[in-house]
Amino acid sequence: MKGLKKVIGLMLVFILVFSITACGNDTKDSDTPPTDDEGEEPVDSTPDVGEEGKVLNIWGWNDEFKGLFERYFVDEGLLPDDVEVKFTLVPNDDNAYQNALDEALLGQANAPDDEKIDLFLVEADYALKYVDSDYTIDILNDVGLKQEDIQGQYKYTQEIVTDGDGVIKGSSWQATPGLFAYRRSIAKDVLGTDDPEAVQEALSTWEKFHEVAEEANKKGYKMLSGYDDSYRTFSNNMSNPWVDENNNIVLDDNIVNWIKQTKEFTDKGYNNKTQLWEDPWAADQGSEGKVFGFFYSTWGINFTLLGNALDTPLPDGLTATSDPEAFEEATTGNGIFGDYGVVEGPQNYYWGGSWLCAAAGSDNLDLVQEIMRTMTCDEKTLTNITKDTQDFTNNIKAMETLAQDDEFASAFLGGQNHIKLFTESAKGIDMSNISPYDQGLNEGIQTAFKDYFNGTIDYDTALDNFYNAAIEKYPELKRP
């Protein structure tokens, strides 16, 4: 987190444009999807069929995809010599990315060709907002990918970017099943073993998870760091969408279960009362931390947890892909690198993920097609990304091959082949209950109940605060 948090903090102030310095600053409500009646000329969703453009504009919220694109597309000689690529990166915090993206998409129809967005990234929590609009186009019939290109992907990664008419409008290089990452040294002290199979058996149900939390507490450890640590294991297993067909907000039983568990953990001292992404939460993942473990999906382990586990941050720009030998030298013996292990934990879940969407009006669809095919479909490329970064990529055959490879292991996870666990976890992902309101309502319920967990307000007041904030954010919604 030390590295990621610093990056996010800096990016709160600036919208970074690589290769060009032009970008809007907007305060428009980000959760209102761009519409065709807001004073701008409607975008023409008909793909351009003329000459390809010479400037490719890609929008995102951090440099994760930028680094992969440069390593596995540009460095492989796949970018035409006469094309310039411009990345516009806007932080996700406070919806800044969606605010800026919405404004740019509203002006897409009248923008000069070299300033039109060609490709932009979305996350799971708000993917439908863009997928169900005319600002994204069909990756098969418009962009030109073939069914055989995407047939090796995890099905859920396609379902999340499929609109109401069954049209797939995005493609991802990653799948994001979740696991429970535990401190091996603490597991040995509490359970007498750090063996993943034994730890999984000890944490295989929520009842057992509570029992281990009690034992950990007796030895001075916290089972979890913050209020929100287990949230995704509950929210991403809801029985219903957040909003029903009559626009009523639905408080799912699984969200109520998260509230009950977190209140109990807080009252009994089983968590450290931190919040996601804050410095105390990040510090709990380092060598001074006393927390048994953290729920993380694929990206979190290799992108966030690893950084937080190091006593000495990695030099700027050093990643597992930029210089593997220097990366190994910088991480070995640094902090608690190697002290984490992973297990499936008490409940299957997923968390997050990034998708590439082709923008309507792009004049670079042939290049967009090749980028999507190489970066999100190609078995060789996705295998290499996993080998280099430890990320879990979106090709079933590639992941199952690595899962059975006795030579493949994560040094950060003490030599464990985490891909084997992720392949099993990915099979149980169910995206049938996602909605366009997920980001706002997920964040809202966590924010509203913090004071209840701390004991400063009662349950009914916290719930009332949640409904009021939700309806202020989404006036079309109703409380039950």
Side-chain angles (χ1 to χ4, degrees):
M1 190 62 191
K2 295 168 184 171
L4 176 62
K5 196 68 178 179
K6 287 179 179 177
V7 170
I8 291 174
L10 290 172
M11 294 179 71
L12 278 170
V13 181
F14 298 104
I15 293 174
L16 303 181
V17 183
F18 293 79
S19 300
I20 194 170
T21 55
C23 186
N25 183 16
D26 178 40
T27 57
K28 178 179 177 291
D29 183 358
S30 70
D31 294 298
T32 301
T35 61
D36 293 345
D37 57 358
E38 296 188 30
E40 297 286 346
E41 182 177 328
V43 67
D44 182 1
S45 61
T46 304
D48 289 345
V49 294
E51 183 180 353
E52 286 278 293
K54 301 305 178 187
V55 177
L56 181 77
N57 286 295
I58 303 176
W59 279 55
W61 56 88
N62 66 19
D63 61 1
E64 180 186 13
F65 177 72
K66 180 175 181 287
L68 295 173
F69 174 76
E70 291 173 345
R71 169 63 185 85
Y72 300 100
F73 196 84
V74 178
D75 289 353
E76 293 296 321
L78 298 176
L79 181 69
D81 292 337
D82 59 347
V83 172
E84 178 186 4
V85 180
K86 296 181 178 178
F87 272 91
T88 299
L89 304 180
V90 186
N92 253 337
D93 301 60
D94 299 324
N95 286 322
Y97 172 61
Q98 292 182 63
N99 288 344
L101 178 62
D102 290 353
E103 185 69 16
L105 291 174
L106 282 170
Q108 177 87 338
N110 296 322
D113 286 347
D114 286 351
E115 296 179 16
K116 290 183 187 296
I117 299 175
D118 297 293
L119 197 63
F120 63 93
L121 286 90
V122 299
E123 289 189 291
D125 276 355
Y126 57 82
L128 284 180
K129 167 183 169 182
Y130 296 98
V131 168
D132 285 333
S133 79
D134 290 335
Y135 292 88
T136 52
I137 58 177
D138 186 339
I139 67 168
L140 296 177
N141 294 308
D142 294 334
V143 176
L145 290 178
K146 305 299 182 186
Q147 187 63 46
E148 53 263 34
D149 290 326
I150 64 172
Q151 65 182 3
Q153 296 181 334
Y154 286 90
K155 189 68 174 178
Y156 96 90
T157 68
Q158 298 170 4
E159 293 173 344
I160 203 168
V161 285
T162 298
D163 71 9
D165 296 324
V167 175
I168 302 175
K169 301 176 78 175
S171 189
S172 179
W173 70 91
Q174 59 185 180
T176 58
L179 297 174
F180 184 69
Y182 64 95
R183 286 279 298 274
R184 290 177 178 273
S185 53
I186 294 177
K188 284 182 179 177
D189 193 20
V190 176
L191 302 175
T193 178
D194 70 337
D195 178 73
E197 291 188 9
V199 174
Q200 171 57 26
E201 175 58 30
L203 302 175
S204 58
T205 68
W206 282 119
E207 290 74 18
K208 291 183 177 181
F209 195 86
H210 280 242
E211 292 172 3
V212 174
E214 184 177 4
E215 293 304 311
N217 182 257
K218 292 177 181 176
K219 288 182 172 287
Y221 300 111
K222 307 293 185 183
M223 192 64 191
L224 298 172
S225 176
Y227 310 114
D228 314 318
D229 280 28
S230 65
Y231 180 78
R232 292 291 178 168
T233 60
F234 291 97
S235 68
N236 289 344
N237 283 293
M238 295 197 307
S239 301
N240 300 283
W242 261 114
V243 177
D244 68 15
E245 64 276 11
N246 297 314
N247 276 355
N248 293 306
I249 299 172
V250 178
L251 189 65
D252 193 89
D253 288 346
N254 238 17
I255 297 299
V256 175
N257 290 336
W258 166 73
I259 294 171
K260 290 178 178 176
Q261 183 205 65
T262 304
K263 181 60 175 171
E264 180 180 357
F265 271 37
T266 304
D267 289 346
K268 292 183 175 179
Y270 294 172
N271 66 40
N272 213 19
K273 299 183 178 181
T274 67
Q275 287 188 278
L276 292 178
W277 315 118
E278 293 185 342
D279 288 344
W281 177 77
D284 275 347
Q285 298 168 42
S287 57
E288 299 299 318
K290 298 292 183 183
V291 175
F292 193 100
F294 298 81
F295 288 98
Y296 261 124
S297 69
T298 49
W299 52 268
I301 292 172
N302 71 306
F303 193 59
T304 304
L305 183 62
L306 190 155
N308 290 336
L310 303 177
D311 284 348
T312 303
L314 296 174
D316 288 342
L318 178 60
T319 67
T321 55
S322 65
D323 189 336
E325 291 185 4
F327 180 82
E328 181 177 2
E329 183 178 352
T331 54
T332 302
N334 186 349
I336 52 173
F337 187 92
D339 191 39
Y340 277 100
V342 288
V343 293
E344 293 167 293
Q347 193 166 14
N348 188 68
Y349 74 104
Y350 76 96
W351 184 9
S354 305
W355 281 258
L356 303 177
C357 293
S362 167
D363 62 344
N364 286 291
L365 286 184
D366 286 348
L367 183 53
V368 167
Q369 176 194 139
E370 191 55 37
I371 292 171
M372 283 189 170
R373 180 180 293 108
T374 300
M375 299 300 298
T376 70
C377 305
D378 181 62
E379 180 183 343
K380 179 181 177 182
T381 300
L382 296 177
T383 298
N384 287 336
I385 291 175
T386 298
K387 285 183 174 179
D388 292 343
T389 69
Q390 306 287 315
D391 199 0
F392 188 81
T393 49
N394 194 15
N395 185 285
I396 297 172
K397 181 180 178 182
M399 294 303 95
E400 290 186 345
T401 298
L402 288 177
Q404 300 304 318
D405 185 351
D406 293 336
E407 301 297 319
F408 183 79
S410 167
F412 174 62
L413 298 174
Q416 192 175 2
N417 184 344
H418 57 302
I419 301 301
K420 188 173 185 177
L421 290 179
F422 278 133
T423 54
E424 292 302 312
S425 181
K427 295 175 182 176
I429 295 177
D430 179 3
M431 304 297 298
S432 59
N433 289 320
I434 63 170
S435 82
Y437 302 101
D438 286 2
Q439 183 181 31
L441 298 183
N442 282 330
E443 292 177 355
I445 195 77
Q446 294 173 74
T447 299
F449 273 84
K450 178 183 176 182
D451 289 338
Y452 168 66
F453 298 142
N454 278 328
T456 57
I457 60 175
D458 61 26
Y459 179 92
D460 290 340
T461 301
L463 187 59
D464 195 52
N465 290 343
F466 164 66
Y467 284 132
N468 290 337
I471 293 171
E472 181 178 357
K473 191 177 190 67
Y474 305 111
E476 70 274 25
L477 299 186
K478 297 175 286 187
R479 59 190 302 167

